[in-house]
Amino acid sequence: MTKKEIVRVISEELGLTQQETKEVVQRTFDSIVETLVREGRIELRNFGVFEVKPRAARKARNPKTGQQVDVPEKYVVTFKPGKVMEQRVRQLSSDNLPDTWVMPLDHVPPPDSAERPSETDDPNRPPNSPPNSPSGSWQ
């Protein structure tokens, strides 16, 4: 669902114009961001908690070249769902999920499967890139 779809649904439910609803939704999002920047945490009862946390510096690899790169420390936003959201999500079953969420278990071959491409299947693929990606880039 996009912000535009959220605005449409809320405006229909409340009988407001989409422009009025869009402004309220945008100001709500802006307020959440400003609170995170200023205070580092925002708790929305029955929804969840957003929190700014540091992520330590680390070493990583460029997937195209295989070259090791240093990733500096940075701050990330984490989200912990509230009890109400957690309970509702746990009640989901594969019967009421959209088709795009359900992946058949036989879709991914086991690690030792003969279907798995070998390292030499594509001589143009850069080292350490995913076997099935075009030109070796991550998608």
Side-chain angles (χ1 to χ4, degrees):
M1 178 173 258
T2 64
K3 182 168 59 172
K4 187 174 185 175
E5 292 168 326
I6 292 170
V7 166
R8 183 184 50 77
V9 168
I10 293 172
S11 74
E12 288 173 3
E13 287 179 6
L14 298 179
L16 299 172
T17 68
Q18 286 195 17
Q19 187 59 39
E20 292 169 327
T21 306
K22 180 181 177 184
E23 190 172 326
V24 171
V25 168
Q26 187 59 53
R27 285 189 182 200
T28 302
F29 292 159
D30 292 345
S31 179
I32 290 170
V33 172
E34 286 304 314
T35 302
L36 282 171
V37 169
R38 190 176 60 251
E39 299 178 24
R41 177 182 163 94
I42 185 164
E43 183 175 336
L44 304 170
R45 302 270 177 192
N46 296 324
F47 185 75
V49 177
F50 292 95
E51 193 168 15
V52 176
K53 293 185 177 180
R55 179 167 291 162
R58 62 187 174 91
K59 302 232 183 263
R61 271 192 203 283
N62 179 329
K64 285 188 177 183
T65 65
Q67 181 181 6
Q68 189 171 359
V69 294
D70 291 325
V71 178
E73 177 185 57
K74 64 181 177 179
Y75 290 92
V76 296
V77 177
T78 61
F79 177 73
K80 182 179 178 191
K83 287 182 182 180
V84 172
M85 182 188 299
E86 193 77 43
Q87 289 170 350
R88 294 197 59 197
V89 169
R90 280 192 184 133
Q91 291 172 352
L92 288 174
S93 70
S94 60
D95 296 338
N96 59 5
L97 288 178
D99 290 339
T100 57
W101 286 19
V102 180
M103 181 188 304
L105 293 176
D106 61 351
H107 176 75
V108 179
D112 296 322
S113 169
E115 295 176 29
R116 191 172 122 198
S118 73
E119 292 293 322
T120 59
D121 281 352
D122 183 2
N124 298 322
R125 186 173 56 82
N128 300 323
S129 64
N132 295 327
S133 67
S135 72
S137 63
W138 294 91
Q139 291 188 7

